[in-house]
Amino acid sequence: MEEPLEVVSVGSALVDEEYLVSNLPEPDAGAYVHEESVGFGGVAANGAVGLSRLGHDTGVVVQLGNDDNADLVEANLREEGVSTAGVRYDDEERSTYCMVFRDPDGERTIVTGGGAAKNLELTEADEAALRSAEVVFANGFCPDRVSRRLAELAADGEIRLVFDLASTLDELADRATERETIDDLLPHLALFVANEVSIDSYLGVRGEEAIEALRKRGVSRGALTSGEAGALLWDAEGVVEVSAFDVDVVDTTGAGDAFVCGLIHEWLLAGESAAEAGRFGAAAGAFNCTEQSARGGMVDEDRIRTFLAERS
């Protein structure tokens, strides 16, 4: 990456195979596919695209396979104004992809395949790009060796790191960030984000109990999301409860990524308060639920400001 970027997002960029199904089946049960489509996802790519749409210069550090999906993903990132200087290719593995099964209420189940993203490693050029960025965004799906190196860079004060746990530890086991690495990351983060399921898998508690436990582990600023129940944000000033916005939900895929983009935009880059950042993030997440796919409802700052003004 030649020019310094405001945000560099590390992890995965992929194709989402999207299926609208009659229901999300229980074990030994079934469902029927009503519609099929293809979209784009990956937490790192979603973060870079969401922040690009909010007006920031962004880039990714990701690994794709050497296949048609890789060409589609890179072309999409370029169309979104995201720097692809940190994109590389794996000749041995298929590009990582997701099968997203969505029911009529917008709830979803995601199954991931393809091994290219698991083989990501940071190069010297990647690390130089991370050091020059204002914010580095990573998540629990990053390979453990990548998250461990990010922890070292953050501990040395070389990067300003945002980390989204994003999934339960069981789902991350043997393919992504490990518990011990999360332990090492926490004291050095500019912002930690988790949902109620992922934080429960890590700490065994939720809500304000989890916040207290995270404070003891050195997390000075963070957010715990609870879907329709909203979110809890904390910093040195205290804990703030943020309500979710009531919208007509089409697809919840990517809502958490849009929320994190809003927090980075408003809390870290603009320096606003936790309460203002939480409302902005909640609005960004709500917007994304009103359209299909992981980024269908990621919008620009003006639309979010208008949305908030109408509900003030």
Side-chain angles (χ1 to χ4, degrees):
M1 298 177 183
E2 296 180 358
E3 296 296 327
L5 299 164
E6 288 179 272
V7 182
V8 177
S9 195
V10 182
S12 62
L14 47 83
V15 166
D16 284 339
E17 300 172 5
E18 300 171 350
Y19 303 92
L20 175 60
V21 295
S22 56
N23 58 284
L24 297 178
E26 299 291 332
D28 296 323
Y32 183 80
V33 175
H34 291 298
E35 296 177 10
E36 301 179 33
S37 59
V38 174
F40 296 96
V43 178
N46 292 345
V49 169
L51 285 159
S52 178
R53 292 183 185 179
L54 287 171
H56 300 287
D57 293 327
T58 68
V60 292
V61 174
V62 298
Q63 182 151 289
L64 310 174
N66 192 1
D67 49 34
D68 291 343
N69 274 1
D71 295 337
L72 292 173
V73 168
E74 183 166 4
N76 174 260
L77 290 170
R78 291 182 184 277
E79 289 171 4
E80 293 285 357
V82 175
S83 170
T84 57
V87 174
R88 64 183 61 90
Y89 297 91
D90 184 337
D91 290 330
E92 303 298 324
E93 294 279 0
R94 178 180 176 182
S95 288
T96 302
Y97 64 94
C98 284
M99 294 178 286
V100 183
F101 301 93
R102 174 172 57 90
D103 72 10
D105 294 325
E107 297 301 319
R108 80 277 192 264
T109 293
I110 301 175
V111 179
T112 303
K118 293 191 297 183
N119 292 335
L120 177 67
E121 296 185 17
L122 297 180
T123 67
E124 290 184 6
D126 294 334
E127 292 190 12
L130 301 180
R131 291 186 182 95
S132 68
E134 293 186 44
V135 172
V136 175
F137 173 49
N139 64 86
F141 291 113
C142 289
D144 188 69
R145 61 184 168 275
V146 171
S147 295
R148 182 154 292 282
R149 180 56 181 154
L150 294 175
E152 293 171 352
L153 293 171
D156 291 340
E158 297 185 60
I159 62 172
R160 192 181 187 200
L161 181 61
V162 174
F163 188 82
D164 182 0
L165 186 53
S167 187
T168 65
L169 296 190
D170 285 346
E171 291 179 81
L172 301 178
D174 301 322
R175 69 184 181 100
T177 306
E178 298 175 2
R179 176 185 289 276
E180 293 77 10
T181 302
I182 298 169
D183 293 342
D184 291 341
L185 276 166
L186 292 180
H188 311 296
L189 295 177
L191 172 63
F192 175 75
V193 183
N195 59 47
E196 59 183 352
V197 177
S198 64
I199 199 62
D200 193 27
S201 77
Y202 176 55
L203 294 176
V205 293
R206 305 184 181 195
E208 297 208 24
E209 283 187 85
I211 292 173
E212 182 61 27
L214 289 165
R215 282 191 187 277
K216 290 179 179 178
R217 292 169 184 243
V219 181
S220 59
R221 173 161 40 188
L224 299 180
T225 64
S226 302
E228 293 180 355
L232 293 174
L233 280 67
W234 75 94
D235 59 13
E237 302 300 318
V239 178
V240 174
E241 183 173 357
V242 176
S243 299
F245 290 99
D246 186 16
V247 295
D248 293 328
V249 174
V250 173
D251 187 354
T252 59
T253 308
D257 298 337
F259 176 78
V260 176
C261 288
L263 295 188
I264 293 172
H265 172 80
E266 196 78 341
W267 211 359
L268 295 189
L269 295 175
E272 296 294 339
S273 68
E276 290 298 318
R279 273 179 52 81
F280 190 94
F287 250 113
N288 207 40
C289 290
T290 64
E291 300 289 343
Q292 183 179 332
S293 83
R295 307 175 198 153
M298 285 184 173
V299 296
D300 61 26
E301 181 176 8
D302 287 344
R303 289 189 65 185
I304 295 176
R305 297 288 182 206
T306 300
F307 179 88
L308 290 170
E310 290 170 349
R311 287 157 178 79
S312 61

